[in-house]
Amino acid sequence: MSAPATTSFSHILPIVAIISTVVISIAGWMIVHFFSKNRDVKKEWRDQARARANDISRLISLSIKYHTDEQRCKENENSILSLFNELEIYIQLIEEKLKIECRIDKFKETVTSENFQTNKFKQLDIDDPQIKKIVHEGNTLRVTLLRAE
């Protein structure tokens, strides 16, 4: 009498095997999709960090030009401030998404603290300590952005 009970389970076993295979396949796909999506999102943010590093290079050049020009140029001041404002938004998001610390405030302070937006503007020599500090702070920020993982 116990033989018929075994045969009734033999019909269920292939169904259980099929269901468990489907469930495992779906779970595996979901896990792979989750990690792939996260990897792709992080790559997009790394690409943004590298693009902002290029903007920092442009800002370094613009700042050096501004400070080494013979006369104060309000148009360059506005361009520098506008670029800083745009970069601050991006960098805040990059810091949050990639868990890195960028010191754009330190770079901005170096560029705008002395000899900027003043009627007492004085042309700086390319070897001036402030120019060297601008280059140093800008490149430090660029390296941080380029190393973002």
Side-chain angles (χ1 to χ4, degrees):
M1 299 241 174
S2 60
T6 308
T7 56
S8 67
F9 281 120
S10 63
H11 290 102
I12 295 175
L13 287 178
I15 295 171
V16 170
I18 291 171
I19 291 173
S20 63
T21 301
V22 168
V23 168
I24 289 171
S25 296
I26 291 171
W29 178 85
M30 290 174 68
I31 290 168
V32 168
H33 177 71
F34 173 79
F35 286 114
S36 293
K37 182 180 174 190
N38 282 350
R39 184 192 67 226
D40 292 344
V41 167
K42 275 190 103 173
K43 183 188 178 307
E44 288 176 25
W45 281 108
R46 282 193 309 272
D47 290 345
Q48 278 295 322
R50 283 159 183 76
R52 295 321 107 204
N54 291 335
D55 290 342
I56 296 294
S57 292
R58 207 170 82 230
L59 194 49
I60 291 169
S61 297
L62 190 58
S63 298
I64 291 171
K65 181 179 176 356
Y66 171 81
H67 285 289
T68 57
D69 275 351
E70 289 182 21
Q71 295 181 351
R72 175 184 178 198
C73 178
K74 291 182 180 183
E75 185 178 315
N76 282 348
E77 286 176 355
N78 292 334
S79 296
I80 289 169
L81 291 174
S82 176
L83 192 50
F84 266 120
N85 289 337
E86 183 180 330
L87 280 170
E88 285 171 327
I89 294 166
Y90 277 112
I91 287 180
Q92 182 180 8
L93 292 170
I94 289 168
E95 285 178 324
E96 180 183 313
K97 298 295 182 182
L98 296 180
K99 309 286 189 256
I100 60 173
E101 184 178 347
C102 300
R103 295 298 312 266
I104 192 166
D105 54 333
K106 194 171 182 183
F107 178 46
K108 183 177 183 179
E109 182 181 323
T110 302
V111 172
T112 61
S113 64
E114 297 174 29
N115 205 41
F116 193 82
Q117 290 186 315
T118 179
N119 291 328
K120 297 177 184 177
F121 178 86
K122 126 185 148 172
Q123 179 183 18
L124 301 178
D125 186 56
I126 194 70
D127 293 330
D128 190 90
Q130 185 176 357
I131 299 295
K132 289 181 179 182
K133 191 172 179 185
I134 287 169
V135 171
H136 172 74
E137 292 300 335
N139 283 333
T140 300
L141 182 56
R142 284 187 69 239
V143 168
T144 302
L145 290 167
L146 291 171
R147 287 185 176 165
E149 293 183 10

